[in-house]
Amino acid sequence: MYYFIYPSKDTYIYELNANFEKNFGGDNSLVLKKDMDGDGTINSVSRILLHFDLTGISKSLSSGEITSSLDSDATLRNPKYYLRLYENKTSELNPSYQLDAFPLSQSWEEGTGYDTQDPNSRDGANWGKTNESFDSSTWVKTSSSDTGSRPINGGGSWVTGSGHEASQSFSYQSPDVNMDITDIVN
């Protein structure tokens, strides 16, 4: 049986916006990109933020509506969870790359901004804050790896370590995401 859960809020944040203040919660698309110099140095990145209300899954597990099952070879199969994202437009994509997903350790607001808005809405999450509407809403680092291998301020705050990450590698294939996030959901 398949259950589909759609995000209750989504946005993307982009490192190179002036003062990190732009919000993209009102955009119809989520932009995931990495800008690089000709020598391969990373200039900036974007990140996609998604929030899923898992109350329904929790209730379905508790009530027994979602259960483990036995395969024909008597192997116990627990429920699996996948993140599905579909490519809309691709440009200058490397033939091989990896995408990583982590659960955020702070709440955030979606906001109403969009890419072509000028001036951009000053509400919701951006690179520097969980909600631009409040001065004290900066992303708080929970570990030294919160920003990955790049020593930058902002860009989210996430939980790391065993069971708190998922990834998908791509090599000369469709950029559509079908990532197993079972460990994160559990």
Side-chain angles (χ1 to χ4, degrees):
M1 181 174 294
Y2 294 94
Y3 291 88
F4 297 92
I5 301 170
Y6 297 95
S8 55
K9 59 184 179 179
D10 61 47
T11 191
Y12 69 94
I13 56 178
Y14 184 49
E15 181 181 8
L16 268 189
N17 291 317
N19 300 319
F20 307 135
E21 295 169 349
K22 280 195 172 185
N23 171 267
F24 303 105
D27 268 338
N28 290 328
S29 296
L30 299 170
V31 176
L32 186 60
K33 66 181 180 175
K34 177 172 32 175
D35 297 324
M36 301 177 78
D37 281 340
D39 65 357
T41 303
I42 298 172
N43 282 333
S44 65
V45 297
S46 71
R47 294 198 174 111
I48 294 174
L49 307 182
L50 301 169
H51 179 267
F52 295 91
D53 182 355
L54 300 181
T55 306
I57 286 180
S58 181
K59 287 180 181 178
S60 294
L61 287 166
S62 296
S63 72
E65 184 180 355
I66 298 176
T67 63
S68 300
S69 60
L70 288 176
D71 280 354
S72 58
D73 63 354
T75 303
L76 183 63
R77 302 287 181 206
N78 291 317
K80 302 283 280 181
Y81 306 97
Y82 293 89
L83 175 64
R84 299 293 310 261
L85 299 171
Y86 298 96
E87 178 266 342
N88 182 21
K89 177 183 170 189
T90 302
S91 64
E92 301 179 37
L93 189 62
N94 284 337
S96 296
Y97 59 96
Q98 177 177 308
L99 295 179
D100 298 313
F102 300 92
L104 289 171
S105 62
Q106 286 180 260
S107 61
W108 53 277
E109 293 303 318
E110 180 177 36
T112 59
Y114 51 93
D115 185 40
T116 58
Q117 185 180 27
D118 188 19
N120 186 263
S121 294
R122 298 296 297 264
D123 63 348
N126 59 41
W127 193 266
K129 295 184 176 188
T130 61
N131 186 354
E132 180 64 29
S133 299
F134 298 99
D135 288 338
S136 62
S137 69
T138 57
W139 292 105
V140 177
K141 290 179 109 181
T142 58
S143 76
S144 60
S145 62
D146 269 359
T147 56
S149 60
R150 302 181 64 229
I152 49 182
N153 293 323
S157 179
W158 53 90
V159 180
T160 60
S162 179
H164 291 105
E165 57 189 72
S167 66
Q168 181 177 349
S169 295
F170 298 83
S171 183
Y172 296 96
Q173 66 195 64
S174 166
D176 291 345
V177 174
N178 185 19
M179 187 182 300
D180 183 344
I181 58 168
T182 302
D183 287 343
I184 293 174
V185 173
N186 286 336

